[in-house]
Amino acid sequence: MDRAFLIADNQDITRAGLLFLLMQDQQSRVCQNLPVPLLLEAGNKGEMVHQLIIHPDAVVVVDYTLFDFHSSDELLAVHERFKQSQWLLFSEELSEAFLRQMVFSSPRIGVVLKECSQEEILEALQGATKGKRYICHQVEQLLAGNMPSNKEIQESPLTPTEQTILKEIALGKSTKEIAQLRNLSFHTVNTHRKNIFRKLGVNNAQEASRYAVKAGIVDLLEYYI
């Protein structure tokens, strides 16, 4: 059986709509003799956590704007607690700042808007059950909207080697993994990492990753995988 779907939304009509889509997909899977995922519901954060304790690798489909999270940090704390889970934010409207925080925080958080087509919503759900992050076209365009010009990219303060290492950092690789991949010592990669942060004026990998995406060092679609 595929991982369970946990529909975390306090609007009855939204939960009913998602369950309808997923049940249609279930019928198609049955006809093809494919595994059928379990469908679960949660109307509040307490119910969500309870279901995740039982099904820690579930796909969580949540409307952040209507759910009883007090802050984005609280959502991320629950997400980090259940490291096997895959999340899909499903809301009518989300701020660019919030979207950037979510997308840069974890590769296990995807986004699809309620105004998206049925086909795109279903594609996002199907991708999530396979552990693939999905970013809908509208959000992808929003996050790509502040990309710098080619001239600004060419004037990057980083050397080609530093840009290569920054790309690996943005793709979630650790210093040890980069060293092994590039056939370099841990100390050399760590020195490059410190120089990258100093040159960019950033304090952590998340901020460095934002620069990497904006400067085109890492492709948006590649980053979202």
Side-chain angles (χ1 to χ4, degrees):
M1 178 178 291
D2 282 6
R3 55 173 62 187
F5 276 104
L6 175 53
I7 312 302
D9 194 307
N10 56 16
Q11 281 190 328
D12 292 340
I13 188 65
T14 301
R15 293 203 307 274
L18 283 171
L19 289 171
F20 175 75
L21 277 181
L22 289 168
M23 283 189 286
Q24 282 191 318
D25 187 53
Q26 279 188 334
Q27 292 174 357
S28 173
R29 284 171 170 266
V30 169
C31 292
Q32 300 175 61
N33 293 318
L34 296 174
V36 176
L38 184 65
L39 304 183
L40 308 167
E41 297 181 60
N44 57 58
K45 186 178 62 181
E47 292 176 5
M48 170 197 283
V49 171
H50 175 72
Q51 292 286 14
L52 281 169
I53 290 172
I54 302 171
H55 306 279
D57 65 341
V59 174
V60 181
V61 185
V62 60
D63 185 340
Y64 170 76
T65 57
L66 297 179
F67 217 56
D68 59 337
F69 284 113
H70 297 299
S71 67
S72 56
D73 288 338
E74 187 177 20
L75 183 153
L76 289 174
V78 176
H79 166 267
E80 279 304 305
R81 178 180 173 185
F82 300 97
K83 296 184 181 298
Q84 293 176 286
S85 61
Q86 190 79 18
W87 290 56
L88 185 64
L89 302 178
F90 185 60
S91 298
E92 290 184 3
E93 186 176 349
L94 296 166
S95 71
E96 182 177 348
F98 173 79
L99 287 168
R100 288 189 180 279
Q101 181 187 13
M102 293 298 110
V103 168
F104 283 107
S105 292
S106 171
R108 294 184 289 113
I109 298 178
V111 187
V112 66
L113 300 179
K114 291 184 177 180
E115 62 192 68
C116 290
S117 68
Q118 177 177 316
E119 291 75 18
E120 192 167 15
I121 293 171
L122 189 55
E123 184 179 355
L125 293 168
Q126 291 172 337
T129 195
K130 297 175 184 176
K132 296 181 179 179
R133 169 155 71 172
Y134 186 91
I135 307 292
C136 71
H137 180 69
Q138 186 172 333
V139 171
E140 182 184 314
Q141 291 295 105
L142 174 65
L143 296 181
N146 295 323
M147 299 290 281
S149 66
N150 289 334
K151 183 175 183 292
E152 290 173 317
I153 293 172
Q154 291 169 0
E155 294 176 351
S156 169
L158 304 180
T159 66
T161 298
E162 289 169 343
Q163 290 186 32
T164 298
I165 290 175
L166 174 58
K167 179 176 180 178
E168 302 298 346
I169 292 172
L171 293 176
K173 291 185 173 62
S174 67
T175 301
K176 182 179 179 180
E177 289 171 330
I178 297 170
Q180 292 174 340
L181 182 67
R182 298 292 165 187
N183 220 10
L184 299 170
S185 71
F186 180 92
H187 175 73
T188 298
V189 175
N190 198 42
T191 299
H192 281 307
R193 184 187 181 98
K194 290 178 180 178
N195 288 337
I196 290 168
F197 286 15
R198 176 179 54 78
K199 288 182 178 181
L200 298 183
V202 301
N203 297 310
N204 52 55
Q206 183 177 333
E207 293 176 357
S209 297
R210 289 195 185 101
Y211 174 90
V213 173
K214 288 183 179 180
I217 292 172
V218 59
D219 183 83
L220 269 173
L221 292 178
E222 184 179 14
Y223 182 80
Y224 290 151
I225 293 174

